[in-house]
Amino acid sequence: EISDCGEPNGDVVLKCVQSDAHALKLAPMHYRGNKEIVLAAVRQNWEALQWVSAQLKDDPEIVMTAVQQNGTALQWAGDTARADLDVCRAAVKKSWWAYEYTADTVRGSHELALLALRENWQAFRLLEAGLRAEKSLLLVALRQHWMPLADADPVLLSDPEVVRAGLKHSHQAFGFASSSLRSDRALVIEALAKNPRAINLAGSELQEEFRSQGFLSAEPPTQ
């Protein structure tokens, strides 16, 4: 800590943060605005970004140094840095969760959304409504899990390709399909082939029909 390093002058503070970046939080405020000291601290540990001066939280070099270690460091960046597409791109590449901390002005970027989704399907729920209406982005998420259907634009839930992508993972995906698709015989049979319990998610008429044929949990009916 700073107190262990002797009288807190610039050289002492620099030496301390090079050894332990957490020492920065004990340094006088004017040292937290010293770029040489701050950069040394952030290089030692990305978490140091939270203790730097407001001005340096928008310094591209300092913020980039932090997010290249851990993308979630973006949460401590200034407004200007969080609106810098290059900084945000680097952060999201390192950690998909960093997408949550990007500024509104860049969050609508298709490229940024795609980067996050390729890392983790859970990023889909963080997307703006307009992006959650893009079929291509939804399909990227659905390659990993069926749950993004819960946050998809309702229009996409009437698309058989979208629903089938979810069904590859679980019959539960069928529960998010539009009412018209849940009454589509061919699609219902595909869902039943995945899991007979999908009968409970089918349209009422098809449920009645299949059950009247004795279908409960046996093999799905043929077309």
Side-chain angles (χ1 to χ4, degrees), residues 97-121:
W97 192 255
Y99 184 85
E100 182 178 23
Y101 305 117
T102 60
D104 292 342
T105 52
V106 296
R107 193 171 297 177
S109 164
H110 178 96
E111 176 196 1
L112 210 56
L114 185 58
L115 282 174
L117 288 173
R118 283 174 173 167
E119 293 298 319
N120 195 303
W121 61 269

PDB file of all heavy atoms in Angstrom, residues 97-121:
ATOM      1  N   TRP A  97     -20.043  -9.762 -21.839  1.00  0.00           N
ATOM      2  CA  TRP A  97     -20.840  -9.003 -20.873  1.00  0.00           C
ATOM      3  C   TRP A  97     -20.559  -7.504 -20.954  1.00  0.00           C
ATOM      4  O   TRP A  97     -21.366  -6.680 -20.522  1.00  0.00           O
ATOM      5  CB  TRP A  97     -20.555  -9.523 -19.464  1.00  0.00           C
ATOM      6  CG  TRP A  97     -21.523  -9.009 -18.442  1.00  0.00           C
ATOM      7  CD1 TRP A  97     -21.287  -8.048 -17.503  1.00  0.00           C
ATOM      8  CD2 TRP A  97     -22.884  -9.399 -18.277  1.00  0.00           C
ATOM      9  NE1 TRP A  97     -22.420  -7.833 -16.756  1.00  0.00           N
ATOM     10  CE2 TRP A  97     -23.420  -8.650 -17.211  1.00  0.00           C
ATOM     11  CE3 TRP A  97     -23.704 -10.331 -18.926  1.00  0.00           C
ATOM     12  CZ2 TRP A  97     -24.733  -8.786 -16.791  1.00  0.00           C
ATOM     13  CZ3 TRP A  97     -25.009 -10.462 -18.505  1.00  0.00           C
ATOM     14  CH2 TRP A  97     -25.516  -9.699 -17.451  1.00  0.00           C
ATOM     15  N   ALA A  98     -19.425  -7.140 -21.535  1.00  0.00           N
ATOM     16  CA  ALA A  98     -19.081  -5.731 -21.684  1.00  0.00           C
ATOM     17  C   ALA A  98     -20.101  -4.992 -22.544  1.00  0.00           C
ATOM     18  O   ALA A  98     -20.233  -3.763 -22.448  1.00  0.00           O
ATOM     19  CB  ALA A  98     -17.688  -5.594 -22.300  1.00  0.00           C
ATOM     20  N   TYR A  99     -20.832  -5.733 -23.365  1.00  0.00           N
ATOM     21  CA  TYR A  99     -21.845  -5.114 -24.222  1.00  0.00           C
ATOM     22  C   TYR A  99     -22.829  -4.296 -23.397  1.00  0.00           C
ATOM     23  O   TYR A  99     -23.333  -3.267 -23.840  1.00  0.00           O
ATOM     24  CB  TYR A  99     -22.581  -6.193 -25.013  1.00  0.00           C
ATOM     25  CG  TYR A  99     -23.579  -5.665 -26.007  1.00  0.00           C
ATOM     26  CD1 TYR A  99     -23.179  -5.292 -27.284  1.00  0.00           C
ATOM     27  CD2 TYR A  99     -24.926  -5.522 -25.674  1.00  0.00           C
ATOM     28  CE1 TYR A  99     -24.087  -4.787 -28.198  1.00  0.00           C
ATOM     29  CE2 TYR A  99     -25.850  -5.023 -26.575  1.00  0.00           C
ATOM     30  CZ  TYR A  99     -25.425  -4.664 -27.840  1.00  0.00           C
ATOM     31  OH  TYR A  99     -26.333  -4.153 -28.735  1.00  0.00           O
ATOM     32  N   GLU A 100     -23.102  -4.745 -22.192  1.00  0.00           N
ATOM     33  CA  GLU A 100     -24.058  -4.058 -21.323  1.00  0.00           C
ATOM     34  C   GLU A 100     -23.584  -2.655 -20.961  1.00  0.00           C
ATOM     35  O   GLU A 100     -24.395  -1.765 -20.676  1.00  0.00           O
ATOM     36  CB  GLU A 100     -24.285  -4.864 -20.049  1.00  0.00           C
ATOM     37  CG  GLU A 100     -25.316  -4.248 -19.111  1.00  0.00           C
ATOM     38  CD  GLU A 100     -25.572  -5.077 -17.880  1.00  0.00           C
ATOM     39  OE1 GLU A 100     -24.706  -5.874 -17.498  1.00  0.00           O
ATOM     40  OE2 GLU A 100     -26.654  -4.918 -17.282  1.00  0.00           O
ATOM     41  N   TYR A 101     -22.279  -2.427 -20.989  1.00  0.00           N
ATOM     42  CA  TYR A 101     -21.732  -1.141 -20.552  1.00  0.00           C
ATOM     43  C   TYR A 101     -21.440  -0.186 -21.698  1.00  0.00           C
ATOM     44  O   TYR A 101     -20.958   0.921 -21.473  1.00  0.00           O
ATOM     45  CB  TYR A 101     -20.448  -1.384 -19.746  1.00  0.00           C
ATOM     46  CG  TYR A 101     -20.645  -2.321 -18.583  1.00  0.00           C
ATOM     47  CD1 TYR A 101     -19.975  -3.547 -18.522  1.00  0.00           C
ATOM     48  CD2 TYR A 101     -21.529  -2.012 -17.558  1.00  0.00           C
ATOM     49  CE1 TYR A 101     -20.163  -4.424 -17.469  1.00  0.00           C
ATOM     50  CE2 TYR A 101     -21.732  -2.883 -16.492  1.00  0.00           C
ATOM     51  CZ  TYR A 101     -21.043  -4.094 -16.456  1.00  0.00           C
ATOM     52  OH  TYR A 101     -21.243  -4.968 -15.416  1.00  0.00           O
ATOM     53  N   THR A 102     -21.735  -0.592 -22.915  1.00  0.00           N
ATOM     54  CA  THR A 102     -21.506   0.299 -24.050  1.00  0.00           C
ATOM     55  C   THR A 102     -22.536   1.423 -24.063  1.00  0.00           C
ATOM     56  O   THR A 102     -23.646   1.281 -23.556  1.00  0.00           O
ATOM     57  CB  THR A 102     -21.580  -0.469 -25.380  1.00  0.00           C
ATOM     58  OG1 THR A 102     -22.889  -1.060 -25.506  1.00  0.00           O
ATOM     59  CG2 THR A 102     -20.528  -1.570 -25.433  1.00  0.00           C
ATOM     60  N   ALA A 103     -22.152   2.549 -24.644  1.00  0.00           N
ATOM     61  CA  ALA A 103     -23.054   3.698 -24.731  1.00  0.00           C
ATOM     62  C   ALA A 103     -24.177   3.422 -25.726  1.00  0.00           C
ATOM     63  O   ALA A 103     -24.026   2.622 -26.655  1.00  0.00           O
ATOM     64  CB  ALA A 103     -22.267   4.935 -25.148  1.00  0.00           C
ATOM     65  N   ASP A 104     -25.294   4.092 -25.538  1.00  0.00           N
ATOM     66  CA  ASP A 104     -26.445   3.913 -26.431  1.00  0.00           C
ATOM     67  C   ASP A 104     -26.092   4.195 -27.875  1.00  0.00           C
ATOM     68  O   ASP A 104     -26.654   3.581 -28.790  1.00  0.00           O
ATOM     69  CB  ASP A 104     -27.590   4.834 -25.997  1.00  0.00           C
ATOM     70  CG  ASP A 104     -28.191   4.432 -24.661  1.00  0.00           C
ATOM     71  OD1 ASP A 104     -27.973   3.272 -24.232  1.00  0.00           O
ATOM     72  OD2 ASP A 104     -28.872   5.268 -24.040  1.00  0.00           O
ATOM     73  N   THR A 105     -25.160   5.103 -28.084  1.00  0.00           N
ATOM     74  CA  THR A 105     -24.811   5.499 -29.450  1.00  0.00           C
ATOM     75  C   THR A 105     -24.131   4.389 -30.242  1.00  0.00           C
ATOM     76  O   THR A 105     -24.114   4.427 -31.476  1.00  0.00           O
ATOM     77  CB  THR A 105     -23.886   6.738 -29.442  1.00  0.00           C
ATOM     78  OG1 THR A 105     -22.774   6.485 -28.565  1.00  0.00           O
ATOM     79  CG2 THR A 105     -24.634   7.968 -28.954  1.00  0.00           C
ATOM     80  N   VAL A 106     -23.547   3.416 -29.565  1.00  0.00           N
ATOM     81  CA  VAL A 106     -22.890   2.307 -30.276  1.00  0.00           C
ATOM     82  C   VAL A 106     -23.591   0.966 -30.035  1.00  0.00           C
ATOM     83  O   VAL A 106     -23.318  -0.009 -30.733  1.00  0.00           O
ATOM     84  CB  VAL A 106     -21.402   2.169 -29.893  1.00  0.00           C
ATOM     85  CG1 VAL A 106     -20.628   3.395 -30.314  1.00  0.00           C
ATOM     86  CG2 VAL A 106     -21.242   1.909 -28.414  1.00  0.00           C
ATOM     87  N   ARG A 107     -24.493   0.931 -29.074  1.00  0.00           N
ATOM     88  CA  ARG A 107     -25.140  -0.338 -28.753  1.00  0.00           C
ATOM     89  C   ARG A 107     -26.008  -0.847 -29.902  1.00  0.00           C
ATOM     90  O   ARG A 107     -26.301  -2.036 -29.994  1.00  0.00           O
ATOM     91  CB  ARG A 107     -25.980  -0.193 -27.486  1.00  0.00           C
ATOM     92  CG  ARG A 107     -26.430  -1.529 -26.913  1.00  0.00           C
ATOM     93  CD  ARG A 107     -27.075  -1.373 -25.563  1.00  0.00           C
ATOM     94  NE  ARG A 107     -26.125  -0.843 -24.584  1.00  0.00           N
ATOM     95  CZ  ARG A 107     -26.456  -0.560 -23.331  1.00  0.00           C
ATOM     96  NH1 ARG A 107     -27.697  -0.727 -22.918  1.00  0.00           N
ATOM     97  NH2 ARG A 107     -25.540  -0.096 -22.498  1.00  0.00           N
ATOM     98  N   GLY A 108     -26.397   0.047 -30.775  1.00  0.00           N
ATOM     99  CA  GLY A 108     -27.206  -0.370 -31.919  1.00  0.00           C
ATOM    100  C   GLY A 108     -26.382  -0.922 -33.069  1.00  0.00           C
ATOM    101  O   GLY A 108     -26.936  -1.254 -34.127  1.00  0.00           O
ATOM    102  N   SER A 109     -25.091  -1.037 -32.881  1.00  0.00           N
ATOM    103  CA  SER A 109     -24.210  -1.541 -33.932  1.00  0.00           C
ATOM    104  C   SER A 109     -24.417  -3.038 -34.143  1.00  0.00           C
ATOM    105  O   SER A 109     -24.286  -3.841 -33.221  1.00  0.00           O
ATOM    106  CB  SER A 109     -22.741  -1.272 -33.547  1.00  0.00           C
ATOM    107  OG  SER A 109     -21.862  -2.047 -34.326  1.00  0.00           O
ATOM    108  N   HIS A 110     -24.722  -3.420 -35.369  1.00  0.00           N
ATOM    109  CA  HIS A 110     -24.897  -4.831 -35.712  1.00  0.00           C
ATOM    110  C   HIS A 110     -23.599  -5.594 -35.467  1.00  0.00           C
ATOM    111  O   HIS A 110     -23.613  -6.715 -34.938  1.00  0.00           O
ATOM    112  CB  HIS A 110     -25.309  -4.951 -37.183  1.00  0.00           C
ATOM    113  CG  HIS A 110     -25.460  -6.353 -37.663  1.00  0.00           C
ATOM    114  ND1 HIS A 110     -26.671  -7.011 -37.699  1.00  0.00           N
ATOM    115  CD2 HIS A 110     -24.537  -7.256 -38.122  1.00  0.00           C
ATOM    116  CE1 HIS A 110     -26.494  -8.240 -38.163  1.00  0.00           C
ATOM    117  NE2 HIS A 110     -25.204  -8.410 -38.423  1.00  0.00           N
ATOM    118  N   GLU A 111     -22.477  -4.979 -35.830  1.00  0.00           N
ATOM    119  CA  GLU A 111     -21.176  -5.622 -35.660  1.00  0.00           C
ATOM    120  C   GLU A 111     -20.903  -5.939 -34.196  1.00  0.00           C
ATOM    121  O   GLU A 111     -20.450  -7.038 -33.849  1.00  0.00           O
ATOM    122  CB  GLU A 111     -20.071  -4.711 -36.195  1.00  0.00           C
ATOM    123  CG  GLU A 111     -18.660  -5.261 -35.976  1.00  0.00           C
ATOM    124  CD  GLU A 111     -17.571  -4.220 -36.158  1.00  0.00           C
ATOM    125  OE1 GLU A 111     -17.906  -3.043 -36.436  1.00  0.00           O
ATOM    126  OE2 GLU A 111     -16.391  -4.584 -36.011  1.00  0.00           O
ATOM    127  N   LEU A 112     -21.194  -4.982 -33.327  1.00  0.00           N
ATOM    128  CA  LEU A 112     -20.943  -5.163 -31.900  1.00  0.00           C
ATOM    129  C   LEU A 112     -21.853  -6.247 -31.325  1.00  0.00           C
ATOM    130  O   LEU A 112     -21.424  -7.082 -30.524  1.00  0.00           O
ATOM    131  CB  LEU A 112     -21.169  -3.837 -31.173  1.00  0.00           C
ATOM    132  CG  LEU A 112     -20.358  -3.577 -29.914  1.00  0.00           C
ATOM    133  CD1 LEU A 112     -18.865  -3.679 -30.199  1.00  0.00           C
ATOM    134  CD2 LEU A 112     -20.702  -2.200 -29.339  1.00  0.00           C
ATOM    135  N   ALA A 113     -23.105  -6.235 -31.752  1.00  0.00           N
ATOM    136  CA  ALA A 113     -24.046  -7.255 -31.288  1.00  0.00           C
ATOM    137  C   ALA A 113     -23.598  -8.650 -31.723  1.00  0.00           C
ATOM    138  O   ALA A 113     -23.663  -9.605 -30.952  1.00  0.00           O
ATOM    139  CB  ALA A 113     -25.446  -6.959 -31.832  1.00  0.00           C
ATOM    140  N   LEU A 114     -23.141  -8.744 -32.946  1.00  0.00           N
ATOM    141  CA  LEU A 114     -22.686 -10.026 -33.472  1.00  0.00           C
ATOM    142  C   LEU A 114     -21.476 -10.547 -32.694  1.00  0.00           C
ATOM    143  O   LEU A 114     -21.386 -11.742 -32.382  1.00  0.00           O
ATOM    144  CB  LEU A 114     -22.350  -9.887 -34.954  1.00  0.00           C
ATOM    145  CG  LEU A 114     -21.974 -11.161 -35.705  1.00  0.00           C
ATOM    146  CD1 LEU A 114     -23.099 -12.190 -35.619  1.00  0.00           C
ATOM    147  CD2 LEU A 114     -21.662 -10.844 -37.163  1.00  0.00           C
ATOM    148  N   LEU A 115     -20.558  -9.655 -32.364  1.00  0.00           N
ATOM    149  CA  LEU A 115     -19.382 -10.045 -31.574  1.00  0.00           C
ATOM    150  C   LEU A 115     -19.806 -10.640 -30.228  1.00  0.00           C
ATOM    151  O   LEU A 115     -19.286 -11.666 -29.783  1.00  0.00           O
ATOM    152  CB  LEU A 115     -18.476  -8.839 -31.334  1.00  0.00           C
ATOM    153  CG  LEU A 115     -17.567  -8.384 -32.463  1.00  0.00           C
ATOM    154  CD1 LEU A 115     -16.850  -7.091 -32.086  1.00  0.00           C
ATOM    155  CD2 LEU A 115     -16.550  -9.463 -32.807  1.00  0.00           C
ATOM    156  N   ALA A 116     -20.755  -9.973 -29.586  1.00  0.00           N
ATOM    157  CA  ALA A 116     -21.216 -10.428 -28.272  1.00  0.00           C
ATOM    158  C   ALA A 116     -21.927 -11.776 -28.382  1.00  0.00           C
ATOM    159  O   ALA A 116     -21.700 -12.680 -27.567  1.00  0.00           O
ATOM    160  CB  ALA A 116     -22.145  -9.386 -27.658  1.00  0.00           C
ATOM    161  N   LEU A 117     -22.775 -11.922 -29.378  1.00  0.00           N
ATOM    162  CA  LEU A 117     -23.550 -13.156 -29.536  1.00  0.00           C
ATOM    163  C   LEU A 117     -22.673 -14.351 -29.877  1.00  0.00           C
ATOM    164  O   LEU A 117     -22.972 -15.478 -29.469  1.00  0.00           O
ATOM    165  CB  LEU A 117     -24.615 -12.972 -30.616  1.00  0.00           C
ATOM    166  CG  LEU A 117     -25.790 -12.068 -30.243  1.00  0.00           C
ATOM    167  CD1 LEU A 117     -26.678 -11.829 -31.451  1.00  0.00           C
ATOM    168  CD2 LEU A 117     -26.604 -12.681 -29.111  1.00  0.00           C
ATOM    169  N   ARG A 118     -21.632 -14.118 -30.612  1.00  0.00           N
ATOM    170  CA  ARG A 118     -20.727 -15.219 -30.946  1.00  0.00           C
ATOM    171  C   ARG A 118     -20.019 -15.745 -29.711  1.00  0.00           C
ATOM    172  O   ARG A 118     -19.624 -16.906 -29.661  1.00  0.00           O
ATOM    173  CB  ARG A 118     -19.710 -14.763 -31.992  1.00  0.00           C
ATOM    174  CG  ARG A 118     -20.300 -14.690 -33.400  1.00  0.00           C
ATOM    175  CD  ARG A 118     -19.309 -14.106 -34.383  1.00  0.00           C
ATOM    176  NE  ARG A 118     -19.810 -14.193 -35.751  1.00  0.00           N
ATOM    177  CZ  ARG A 118     -19.280 -13.550 -36.789  1.00  0.00           C
ATOM    178  NH1 ARG A 118     -18.221 -12.765 -36.596  1.00  0.00           N
ATOM    179  NH2 ARG A 118     -19.798 -13.675 -37.996  1.00  0.00           N
ATOM    180  N   GLU A 119     -19.880 -14.871 -28.711  1.00  0.00           N
ATOM    181  CA  GLU A 119     -19.248 -15.276 -27.457  1.00  0.00           C
ATOM    182  C   GLU A 119     -20.236 -15.983 -26.533  1.00  0.00           C
ATOM    183  O   GLU A 119     -19.885 -16.956 -25.864  1.00  0.00           O
ATOM    184  CB  GLU A 119     -18.651 -14.055 -26.747  1.00  0.00           C
ATOM    185  CG  GLU A 119     -17.471 -13.419 -27.467  1.00  0.00           C
ATOM    186  CD  GLU A 119     -16.301 -14.368 -27.602  1.00  0.00           C
ATOM    187  OE1 GLU A 119     -16.005 -15.097 -26.636  1.00  0.00           O
ATOM    188  OE2 GLU A 119     -15.683 -14.405 -28.687  1.00  0.00           O
ATOM    189  N   ASN A 120     -21.472 -15.472 -26.510  1.00  0.00           N
ATOM    190  CA  ASN A 120     -22.453 -16.048 -25.592  1.00  0.00           C
ATOM    191  C   ASN A 120     -23.866 -15.669 -26.013  1.00  0.00           C
ATOM    192  O   ASN A 120     -24.159 -14.484 -26.202  1.00  0.00           O
ATOM    193  CB  ASN A 120     -22.190 -15.566 -24.161  1.00  0.00           C
ATOM    194  CG  ASN A 120     -22.916 -16.398 -23.117  1.00  0.00           C
ATOM    195  OD1 ASN A 120     -24.133 -16.537 -23.141  1.00  0.00           O
ATOM    196  ND2 ASN A 120     -22.163 -16.953 -22.180  1.00  0.00           N
ATOM    197  N   TRP A 121     -24.729 -16.655 -26.127  1.00  0.00           N
ATOM    198  CA  TRP A 121     -26.112 -16.420 -26.546  1.00  0.00           C
ATOM    199  C   TRP A 121     -26.877 -15.505 -25.585  1.00  0.00           C
ATOM    200  O   TRP A 121     -27.850 -14.847 -25.971  1.00  0.00           O
ATOM    201  CB  TRP A 121     -26.864 -17.747 -26.664  1.00  0.00           C
ATOM    202  CG  TRP A 121     -26.955 -18.521 -25.376  1.00  0.00           C
ATOM    203  CD1 TRP A 121     -26.079 -19.470 -24.926  1.00  0.00           C
ATOM    204  CD2 TRP A 121     -27.966 -18.421 -24.379  1.00  0.00           C
ATOM    205  NE1 TRP A 121     -26.471 -19.964 -23.707  1.00  0.00           N
ATOM    206  CE2 TRP A 121     -27.640 -19.340 -23.338  1.00  0.00           C
ATOM    207  CE3 TRP A 121     -29.121 -17.660 -24.241  1.00  0.00           C
ATOM    208  CZ2 TRP A 121     -28.424 -19.499 -22.192  1.00  0.00           C
ATOM    209  CZ3 TRP A 121     -29.911 -17.823 -23.097  1.00  0.00           C
ATOM    210  CH2 TRP A 121     -29.562 -18.724 -22.094  1.00  0.00           C
TER     211      TRP A 121
END
